[in-house]
Amino acid sequence: MSVVLHWGCPQNPYVIGEVFPGPQDRADAGADVDSGPTDAGVIRGEAFVAPLSISGVSQWPRRLDPWGVPAELVYRGEGAGAAAWPAELGPPLMRSSAAGVSLAAEAPFTDGTRAVHFLNSGPHYSAQQAEAAAFGQDSVVLELIFRAKGPQVILQKPGAYRVELAGTDEEFLIASFEDGVRTIEVRSPALGHDAWHACWLFWDRADATAELHCNGQVGPTTPLAGFGPLPTGAALTVGDPGSDAALSLAYVALYRSSSGLGPAEDRLALSQRRFFALTGVLPEWARGSPLPLPEIRSSVAFLDLARDPSGPRHLHRVGPHWPRLSCRPDADGALGCGFLSEGGRRVWLNALSPEEWDARGVNVRADPRPFLDEEPSWRVLTVDSSSRSHTLEHAQDGASDRYSYSVFVRAEASPHVGLSIDGLGMARYDLARARVEAPTNITAALEDWGAGTWRCIYVADLGGGTHTFRVHALSPSGQEIWSGPTDALLLSGLEVLPNRSYPANPLPGDSQAPDRLSFQATSGNLPEGESAELRFRALHPAAQRRNDGTLLKLDREGNNDQLNVFITAGGDLQSFGIREGDSRFGFGFDALTLADRRWHEVRVRWGQGVVTLTVDGIAEAHDRLDTADLHQGLERLLVGQGTGHFEGLLQGVSITP
């Protein structure tokens, strides 16, 4: 049996090592990051195992492989304090600002990784010795995990170097250095605005080059030939005295080598390995290449993460190519984590803010309380009791299609909210009892986002023409008539999407690119023999799909050869195999639906003329099939995408003989 049978996200997903030992446990013992699991039944060299359930700096060894360079300085966000920022390694940084610092702030990781959040101008922390973080004549790697809201200096040693976020239309991380004679800049690839990024500065004296890598991508190489030793400069400081733009830091580390940092391909492999381990998608074991293909998603996106089943699902903006590991409660009240795969989409509404909608019998004002992404985007609806109805309305032309209409709400004076489109009727949402009443011609749902925040969902098939979308502020008794003026409810995140049967994570801007997590299936990640087995666990929202969506797919790029396991629009599980243009098998599993917000354990095994599809221990086998060479020559393992996107969470992916 594979270790995946134990499944990678226990009841408490923040206890590292209950199921899949984190690489920090092996690193302490001197093992490599991709050393295989040791559980009985897993044959080393014969399996690909990707838990896809734990993210954060706990997944890092405290050295840089392959060079074995140990860390000299390490500052973790959760360690920052009111008076000082103690180092895990190295001297502490002393607090130098009086206010505007939030400690142990949320960060987009499933383990204990947190951030220190700065709300106003710096400097916020400073070293007491000028020698701390000096480069001198050594080769150095600087490691940063941060989110910066606008251009600003993140850290600096005046007279030696500074690291800053710069740019307007496109933002870049820029490291500037001065040797007393001239100044040079090292630039990252383009970054997404106001999002989390993980970056590595490689300052290599041996080959006289410097590079900035961020989110698995590499910036241009800067030559260092003729550049002198860096002066010690002034003390290291964190924060920009000239900017009050918000900044969050989860990790700062410095590694020093008296020799070089290896060839460029080694540096890129190192930054990608650490980035994918940090974000939770580096396999626990891979006989072939463990690195995901680096083009994950070409845009910023929201990652949702709950810390306990009843707590809030925080929304974190993560940068381009950052794979998303989300944690959500399931229908049984247990918390689980997995890779989130969503298709691309863009804003359809031309009025996103409640202030842009027509107010009838209500007033709209801003509220300072933070929304799920910690931004003050809540709006208060205050009812005017002299009116017989209390609605926000917006009319917009649309084609004939199925539309998903949703809004986030919190109860103030009343737990009752209504949504409607045109004359299709009102769906009534009772937040206190978690109940929905709706006409039979629409699909309505109430999604609990924890801590009193709910998402009201209204799905309907509309003809072409002008459609009017309404939010109804209903009284404490659920009626449209109020006895007096009062703050009825908070709302945020108004969204209407065509061609969808349920909403996805909120859009972070005008559009979001599709997620694309894939691995090389060559060089050993697929067994050499005729037989093989795919295993994984899947969590899909309790909602009807509009289209089919792949869970796992093995294929050859530019060729129709494939083995595809997918969910249908009806929620059933299907699988088929094609080789050299011929369909080898294709059958479904209709004993249950996957679209029920419950984790389902799926196994697909083929070989010796038999293909068996097993869901939650219930097997359906088909024999007398041609399984010879079915998977030989297939090149990629696609997770959550292929025949459409899965639009849910996947964990515990493995390939075994």
Side-chain angles (χ1 to χ4, degrees):
M1 288 291 183
S2 166
V3 69
V4 178
L5 278 179
H6 298 292
W7 302 116
C9 201
Q11 288 285 339
N12 180 0
Y14 314 106
V15 178
I16 307 304
E18 284 194 28
V19 180
F20 292 95
Q24 80 284 356
D25 300 317
R26 300 191 298 272
D28 292 343
D32 200 298
V33 171
D34 63 349
S35 296
T38 57
D39 298 59
V42 175
I43 306 172
R44 288 184 178 274
E46 298 291 332
F48 173 95
V49 179
L52 304 181
S53 59
I54 301 171
S55 63
V57 300
S58 65
Q59 302 302 285
W60 280 350
R62 293 297 181 260
R63 65 177 188 273
L64 296 182
D65 291 324
W67 315 303
V69 177
E72 179 179 294
L73 296 175
V74 175
Y75 300 98
R76 297 182 60 160
E78 61 270 21
W85 191 348
E88 187 172 280
L89 289 172
L93 301 177
M94 305 309 295
R95 177 80 171 269
S96 50
S97 60
V101 178
S102 177
L103 303 175
E106 283 291 332
F109 305 106
T110 69
D111 67 0
T113 303
R114 301 291 188 273
V116 54
H117 185 52
F118 308 116
L119 305 173
N120 54 21
S121 59
H124 304 292
Y125 291 94
S126 302
Q128 292 184 296
Q129 299 87 22
E131 292 76 15
F135 281 28
Q137 300 188 60
D138 295 325
S139 296
V140 170
V141 179
L142 183 65
E143 193 168 47
L144 291 174
I145 306 173
F146 71 95
R147 177 186 176 186
K149 194 171 185 179
Q152 59 182 292
V153 175
I154 296 174
L155 55 84
Q156 61 180 322
K157 278 181 65 65
Y161 64 84
R162 72 176 181 272
V163 180
E164 62 185 315
L165 190 70
T168 51
D169 294 337
E170 285 189 319
E171 290 183 340
F172 301 87
L173 192 66
I174 297 176
S176 304
F177 299 87
E178 49 187 291
D179 64 357
V181 178
R182 62 191 178 110
T183 300
I184 61 172
E185 287 187 349
V186 186
R187 183 178 292 251
S188 75
L191 304 178
H193 288 276
D194 186 23
W196 281 97
H197 305 286
C199 296
W200 287 262
L201 168 69
F202 292 94
W203 180 267
D204 195 338
R205 284 292 191 179
D207 71 353
T209 60
E211 293 173 341
L212 260 169
H213 301 195
C214 292
N215 297 1
Q217 312 294 306
V218 60
T221 300
T222 301
L224 301 181
F227 196 74
L230 283 178
T232 300
L236 176 71
T237 62
V238 175
D240 190 340
S243 172
D244 59 1
L247 169 68
S248 296
L249 280 174
Y251 198 80
V252 179
L254 184 142
Y255 306 80
R256 182 186 308 277
S257 172
S258 57
S259 57
L261 299 176
E265 56 268 26
D266 284 356
R267 298 195 293 265
L268 178 58
L270 168 72
S271 67
Q272 289 183 342
R273 178 186 290 265
R274 289 180 74 81
F275 175 63
F276 292 129
L278 172 75
T279 53
V281 296
L282 188 71
E284 177 113 328
W285 165 258
R287 186 181 180 190
S289 171
L291 293 177
L293 301 178
E295 298 293 327
I296 301 291
R297 185 192 57 257
S298 60
S299 73
V300 172
F302 273 123
L303 177 160
D304 63 294
L305 195 153
R307 298 288 175 188
D308 61 73
S310 60
R313 282 166 62 182
H314 297 277
L315 288 170
H316 300 279
R317 288 174 61 96
V318 294
H321 307 297
W322 185 298
R324 295 181 289 168
L325 252 64
S326 290
C327 297
R328 299 173 175 176
D330 63 18
D332 299 317
L335 194 66
C337 309
F339 170 70
L340 172 61
S341 172
E342 293 181 329
R345 61 197 193 280
R346 63 177 55 252
V347 167
W348 182 80
L349 273 177
N350 56 25
L352 296 177
S353 171
E355 289 92 338
E356 300 177 82
W357 288 39
D358 294 330
R360 303 184 185 280
V362 295
N363 295 307
V364 180
R365 74 171 190 274
D367 188 271
R369 284 170 282 186
F371 184 55
L372 298 167
D373 61 353
E374 300 301 324
E375 296 295 324
S377 59
W378 283 117
R379 296 296 183 265
V380 181
L381 254 62
T382 302
V383 299
D384 178 0
S385 58
S386 64
S387 176
R388 294 187 60 84
S389 64
H390 308 87
T391 62
L392 285 180
E393 301 181 3
H394 176 68
Q396 187 168 325
D397 292 341
S400 177
D401 209 336
R402 179 169 297 171
Y403 288 78
S404 168
Y405 169 34
S406 63
V407 61
F408 288 91
V409 297
R410 292 190 66 174
E412 289 285 272
S414 171
H416 297 280
V417 187
L419 296 183
S420 65
I421 305 176
D422 297 335
L424 295 180
M426 184 196 307
R428 296 172 177 268
Y429 305 85
D430 185 339
L431 310 185
R433 299 181 180 181
R435 293 181 180 176
V436 182
E437 296 179 1
T440 57
N441 57 340
I442 66 169
T443 300
L446 191 57
E447 199 172 65
D448 186 1
W449 280 66
T453 297
W454 300 82
R455 195 180 204 181
C456 300
I457 300 167
Y458 185 111
V459 180
D461 293 319
L462 305 179
T466 301
H467 307 298
T468 301
F469 303 88
R470 294 181 176 88
V471 179
H472 303 259
L474 303 178
S475 72
S477 61
Q479 306 303 310
E480 295 192 62
I481 298 177
W482 286 72
S483 60
T486 189
D487 293 345
L489 59 97
L490 299 178
L491 77 161
S492 185
L494 286 161
E495 186 174 78
V496 178
L497 294 174
N499 193 31
R500 287 196 67 92
S501 295
Y502 57 94
N505 266 4
L507 282 166
D510 292 338
S511 63
Q512 180 179 308
D515 294 290
R516 303 190 184 281
L517 178 62
S518 54
F519 298 86
Q520 292 182 12
T522 53
S523 304
N525 285 344
L526 273 174
E528 295 178 357
E530 176 186 337
S531 300
E533 181 171 283
L534 288 177
R535 296 185 182 186
F536 58 91
R537 290 188 83 206
L539 177 77
H540 190 280
Q544 183 181 1
R545 295 183 58 92
R546 185 68 165 159
N547 305 296
D548 296 344
T550 290
L551 291 94
L552 288 184
K553 181 182 180 183
L554 290 164
D555 76 354
R556 180 187 290 122
E557 194 169 11
N559 185 292
N560 197 36
D561 290 354
Q562 60 182 282
L563 193 152
N564 196 349
V565 184
F566 63 98
I567 183 174
T568 68
D572 299 330
L573 190 68
Q574 298 277 332
S575 65
F576 64 80
I578 297 175
R579 182 73 180 181
E580 297 176 352
D582 295 328
S583 177
R584 297 287 186 89
F585 69 88
F587 60 89
F589 191 100
D590 55 8
L592 53 81
T593 177
L594 265 67
D596 59 0
R597 202 161 69 89
R598 287 183 168 86
W599 285 99
H600 294 281
E601 183 178 320
V602 181
R603 299 164 56 185
V604 185
R605 182 164 187 82
W606 62 93
Q608 309 302 318
V610 179
V611 178
T612 304
L613 179 61
T614 304
V615 181
D616 299 333
I618 303 173
E620 181 171 324
H622 291 243
D623 57 9
R624 300 180 183 179
L625 301 173
D626 183 2
T627 59
D629 300 324
L630 179 62
H631 65 270
Q632 300 305 320
L634 298 182
E635 300 170 342
R636 299 184 303 176
L637 170 65
L638 282 67
V639 181
Q641 41 114 6
T643 308
H645 280 70
F646 177 55
E647 305 282 348
L649 304 186
L650 293 162
Q651 64 165 231
V653 174
S654 75
I655 308 174
T656 55

